[in-house]
Amino acid sequence: MDSRRRSVMQPSLDPLANARSGIPMPSTTRKPTANPRMSLAGPALRAPMPPVPGSNPRHSMMRSQNINSLLQSTSKPNYGRTPMSNSIRRGSIWGGGAVMPPPSANQIQKDNRPLRDRPFQTKMRQDVYNYLNESGFEISMQALTSMQGKDYRAVFDTLVLTLDPYHPLKEGARFEDEFVPALKALKYPFAHQIDPKWLAAVASPHSWPYLLGVLHWLVELCKMRNEYMFSGHPTIQDPEHVPEEFDDPYDHKALAFQYQEETYILWLDLQDDFSEWKQIMEERYQKKNERVRAEVDEQTEHLNRAKAEYSKLHSSAPLVVDLKKRNEQLQKDCEKLKKILERYEGRRDKLIEQIAFERAELIKGGNKLNETVKTQNLSPEEVIKMNTDREMLTRNLEDLKQKIAETHKVLMSLEVTVTNRAAAVEEALDTYTNMLSSLELFPSPPEPWQDVDLTLELNSASPNPQLLLHGSDIRKVIKPTLSSVAETKRLQRAALENESVKVNNELDQFTTECKNLDYELGELEKKATHLNEQADDLRDAAQQEAQVASAEASRLERELAHARTAAISNGLGAKTQLQALQFKYKEQVEKVSRLKEDLVRAILKNSQEMAVFKQEVSRHLQELRDFAETE
């Protein structure tokens, strides 16, 4: 596409106009080949072109109503041109070099630019000089200051061909004859103020401001064209600028134009296989839809997870019931903790009383001991021994008290641990009971385990560890039963997965059938379009034949009137000729009637086929709707 880049320059009044809204069928010339093909769209609103002698043209299958010259292909100079024997050069996309009619009174605009202002002229001259030098056209500021006629024509032709490379500038033609028509073709709003006589003396004071204004306007238009061409705007419709993910209608039209252009070239080269470009377009749109499909798959997966979670929540017990059970359990635990706290407080009070009592006993015993020591006559060695024994007993007592305190701390920690473990066991039993309920094994399991009691209760007040859990034996009864239930559930799950695979296969088959139906619908639409085109062709042919028959009937009526006059004058000899003409007239009338009947019959047939097609499409759509509702 780089070597055959097409020009997309638009008219100045609407530079963003879509030049590819229809099927782009070129109408310019192409050198005759051994077997040229005519355009699929046919000549736009003109009589058919006569075939080139010695060729085998392929006639048009469609009628075109495209009279917009912008629909002509401008990208390939040697392709896409219908053979013509009377044209050797491509016409301009701006409507040719014909002089346009003068503007009406309401379209005449007055040039409000200060063209005679010297600073403004200097600015315009500088802009023209900068653009020409940047674009590779060598010219000096002195040449622009004192412009000559040939230099002005060279600059003007360069700017016009920059805007329209196919503008019909004739070599050797008078510049005065091409100047104003070119400006009108480019929609110069002040062309009516330009006098071609000014070109004889370009640098004269009365003409130079206006002629410089023309060059400045063309330069600004060229700048706008360059900015537009390199802006990457979607209206340029360059397939190379189309991103991977696009939603702009112009991007779709750019790809469609590329496909039509390339396939049209193949068609002109007598190749009817367009599978390669169809595959390229399919891959391009598949690449465009990759992210969307990934998002759809992700959203579908998210929807399936949400549905599964909703089904799980819908099938399980309500959350309020669980919270009520949890509240009741916490209230029971609170009552237990209050009882334990009361027990510890009572034990603390007893210990305080016991400590006070022991202190009183110690004081009382110490007093008795002092009195006994005073009454007894003991030696110092015995007193020392008694004190030593007393200190030893005191230390032993303190050790025992410390051990009692440590034992009390261990006992408290053990009681907290036992309480926590009891709460954990109760939570595990609640979880176990909830799982039994969710598996429909509580309060009574299904067959063949209807006689097995799977419930468990905690008796934390039991002194015997074997009697902490009230219920069936875990190892001998509950665990084997749950193992058998799990095995049964696994088998059911495997069966469900097999059924799911089967359903998915059926769904894939239905999807394939839907795609086939879509393809059939597309084929039926194409067939209906073809039938409509044939009906149009038949209608046009019947109208033409009816017109011919009417003209023939009118001619025969005139001849009949003339024959009658001749018969009156010539007698019985002309009467025979009159009868022959009457017979011919009847034949023509019958021919016209027969053509009308054929036309009506063809219209009725096409209408019937369209009605049948509509019924078939409605039936397929109803089947698709029923299938979608069933799924």
Side-chain angles (χ1 to χ4, degrees):
M1 293 297 295
D2 293 338
S3 61
R4 304 192 302 268
R5 184 180 181 88
R6 59 179 173 273
S7 173
V8 291
M9 184 56 201
Q10 308 297 326
S12 60
L13 295 180
D14 190 8
L16 299 180
N18 181 18
R20 300 175 186 168
S21 59
I23 300 177
M25 294 303 170
S27 61
T28 55
T29 60
R30 183 173 182 246
K31 295 181 180 180
T33 58
N35 189 13
R37 293 188 176 189
M38 297 185 67
S39 171
L40 281 171
L45 296 180
R46 59 176 181 266
M49 294 295 178
V52 180
S55 63
N56 184 17
R58 176 169 177 172
H59 293 283
S60 173
M61 297 170 62
M62 300 172 60
R63 293 188 304 117
S64 173
Q65 299 296 331
N66 295 329
I67 61 174
N68 188 357
S69 60
L70 292 176
L71 297 182
Q72 300 172 357
S73 175
T74 61
S75 61
K76 295 179 174 55
N78 295 326
Y79 294 97
R81 300 180 179 179
T82 305
M84 295 174 62
S85 60
N86 58 352
S87 176
I88 59 174
R89 179 170 177 168
R90 181 191 183 98
S92 171
I93 63 173
W94 300 100
V99 178
M100 297 179 65
S104 60
N106 57 356
Q107 292 179 348
I108 295 178
Q109 300 180 15
K110 184 178 180 181
D111 194 350
N112 295 323
R113 296 176 294 175
L115 298 178
R116 295 191 177 275
D117 190 4
R118 291 298 180 87
F120 187 71
Q121 291 181 9
T122 304
K123 179 181 178 300
M124 290 193 297
R125 190 183 304 110
Q126 187 65 36
D127 292 341
V128 173
Y129 174 76
N130 294 334
Y131 176 77
L132 292 176
N133 283 275
E134 289 176 359
S135 61
F137 186 89
E138 297 181 357
I139 190 171
S140 62
M141 183 60 73
Q142 183 65 27
L144 284 175
T145 304
S146 58
M147 180 71 75
Q148 296 181 1
K150 60 179 182 179
D151 296 334
Y152 188 87
R153 179 169 187 175
V155 174
F156 181 80
D157 291 348
T158 300
L159 295 177
V160 169
L161 292 177
T162 300
L163 293 173
D164 182 9
Y166 298 100
H167 189 82
L169 294 176
K170 301 178 182 178
E171 296 181 0
R174 296 177 69 251
F175 188 36
E176 291 80 356
D177 297 336
E178 293 187 346
F179 183 66
V180 175
L183 292 179
K184 291 182 178 180
L186 294 174
K187 302 296 188 294
Y188 181 61
F190 315 115
H192 59 280
Q193 299 179 1
I194 303 298
D195 189 357
K197 297 179 181 179
W198 295 348
L199 298 175
V202 176
S204 61
H206 68 279
S207 62
W208 174 242
Y210 296 97
L211 297 179
L212 180 60
V214 171
L215 295 182
H216 185 262
W217 185 84
L218 293 175
V219 165
E220 293 297 326
L221 195 61
C222 290
K223 290 180 180 180
M224 291 175 59
R225 178 186 181 277
N226 293 335
E227 292 178 0
Y228 175 70
M229 291 296 295
F230 295 100
S231 63
H233 197 273
T235 54
I236 298 178
Q237 299 185 21
D238 189 353
E240 296 180 356
H241 295 167
V242 177
E244 292 185 359
E245 297 179 4
F246 57 91
D247 293 323
D248 198 293
Y250 290 110
D251 294 332
H252 291 279
K253 291 179 180 179
L255 295 177
F257 184 84
Q258 182 188 19
Y259 172 76
Q260 293 169 356
E261 185 180 30
E262 297 295 339
T263 54
Y264 185 65
I265 293 170
L266 295 176
W267 188 81
L268 289 176
D269 292 336
L270 303 179
Q271 297 180 16
D272 294 331
D273 186 11
F274 308 143
S275 59
E276 180 179 359
W277 275 99
K278 288 182 181 179
Q279 185 178 0
I280 292 174
M281 290 293 109
E282 290 177 357
E283 293 176 355
R284 184 68 179 83
Y285 276 90
Q286 287 177 0
K287 188 175 182 181
K288 168 187 176 293
N289 297 329
E290 282 181 358
R291 185 180 63 82
V292 177
R293 290 182 178 178
E295 290 181 358
V296 169
D297 295 339
E298 183 179 355
Q299 293 296 332
T300 304
E301 185 179 358
H302 182 69
L303 177 62
N304 294 332
R305 289 199 301 268
K307 286 182 178 179
E309 185 177 358
Y310 173 77
S311 301
K312 182 178 179 181
L313 293 175
H314 187 70
S315 61
S316 62
L319 187 61
V320 178
V321 177
D322 296 339
L323 293 176
K324 287 182 179 180
K325 291 182 180 179
R326 180 67 177 171
N327 187 19
E328 293 176 357
Q329 182 180 359
L330 292 176
Q331 288 179 357
K332 291 179 182 179
D333 294 340
C334 183
E335 292 177 358
K336 292 179 183 179
L337 290 175
K338 286 180 179 179
K339 291 179 181 179
I340 293 171
L341 184 59
E342 291 175 357
R343 188 189 309 166
Y344 287 158
E345 289 178 352
R347 189 178 299 174
R348 183 192 63 186
D349 296 337
K350 289 180 180 179
L351 290 175
I352 291 173
E353 292 176 358
Q354 187 176 359
I355 290 171
F357 178 76
E358 293 294 336
R359 286 180 178 176
E361 289 294 329
L362 285 174
I363 294 171
K364 184 178 180 181
N367 293 331
K368 288 182 179 180
L369 182 60
N370 291 330
E371 291 178 358
T372 303
V373 170
K374 290 179 180 179
T375 56
Q376 292 178 356
N377 188 11
L378 297 174
S379 62
E381 291 80 3
E382 292 177 349
V383 173
I384 291 170
K385 183 178 179 183
M386 290 178 64
N387 291 332
T388 304
D389 293 338
R390 186 186 177 198
E391 291 176 357
M392 187 180 296
L393 291 174
T394 303
R395 285 195 298 270
N396 292 333
L397 181 62
E398 291 177 354
D399 294 336
L400 291 174
K401 286 181 179 180
Q402 186 176 2
K403 290 181 180 180
I404 289 171
E406 293 176 355
T407 305
H408 183 67
K409 290 180 180 180
V410 172
L411 179 62
M412 292 292 289
S413 63
L414 291 175
E415 287 181 354
V416 172
T417 303
V418 169
T419 304
N420 293 333
R421 290 185 177 179
V425 171
E426 289 181 355
E427 290 180 359
L429 290 178
D430 290 338
T431 305
Y432 171 74
T433 305
N434 293 331
M435 292 180 67
L436 290 180
S437 178
S438 63
L439 294 174
E440 298 180 356
L441 299 177
F442 181 81
S444 60
E447 295 181 357
W449 307 287
Q450 66 274 11
D451 297 332
V452 180
D453 188 9
L454 300 176
T455 58
L456 293 174
E457 296 180 0
L458 178 64
N459 186 12
S460 59
S462 176
N464 188 3
Q466 301 294 332
L467 300 178
L468 289 175
L469 289 176
H470 178 70
S472 303
D473 193 355
I474 295 177
R475 296 181 179 177
K476 296 181 180 180
V477 178
I478 295 178
K479 189 173 181 181
T481 303
L482 292 179
S483 299
S484 61
V485 170
E487 184 65 25
T488 303
K489 294 294 183 181
R490 279 194 294 271
L491 295 176
Q492 293 178 358
R493 181 178 179 181
L496 289 175
E497 288 179 353
N498 294 332
E499 187 68 22
S500 176
V501 171
K502 182 178 179 181
V503 171
N504 289 330
N505 292 332
E506 293 178 355
L507 183 61
D508 293 337
Q509 293 178 359
F510 289 141
T511 304
T512 305
E513 292 179 359
C514 290
K515 291 181 179 178
N516 294 332
L517 290 175
D518 291 337
Y519 178 75
E520 292 178 0
L521 288 175
E523 294 295 329
L524 290 174
E525 290 178 355
K526 292 180 180 178
K527 187 181 293 184
T529 304
H530 183 64
L531 290 174
N532 289 331
E533 293 172 356
Q534 290 182 351
D536 292 337
D537 294 338
L538 290 174
R539 189 182 299 109
D540 294 339
Q543 290 177 356
Q544 292 178 359
E545 291 182 358
Q547 291 177 359
V548 173
S550 299
E552 185 68 20
S554 300
R555 186 181 63 81
L556 291 175
E557 287 179 354
R558 290 193 298 270
E559 292 180 357
L560 181 60
H562 181 70
R564 286 178 179 174
T565 304
I568 292 173
S569 60
N570 296 329
L572 296 176
K575 191 173 183 179
T576 305
Q577 186 177 0
L578 177 61
Q579 292 178 355
L581 291 175
Q582 288 178 351
F583 181 73
K584 290 182 180 179
Y585 174 75
K586 289 180 181 179
E587 287 182 351
Q588 293 297 328
V589 171
E590 291 177 356
K591 185 177 180 181
V592 172
S593 300
R594 185 168 59 256
L595 289 174
K596 288 183 180 179
E597 291 177 357
D598 293 339
L599 175 61
V600 172
R601 192 179 299 107
I603 293 173
L604 292 176
K605 181 180 178 182
N606 292 331
S607 302
Q608 184 178 3
E609 289 180 355
M610 286 189 288
V612 172
F613 168 72
K614 184 177 180 182
Q615 293 177 359
E616 188 69 18
V617 172
S618 301
R619 184 177 65 80
H620 283 294
L621 292 176
Q622 185 64 31
E623 291 178 356
L624 288 173
R625 183 177 180 182
D626 296 340
F627 174 73
E629 291 178 355
T630 305
E631 289 299 322

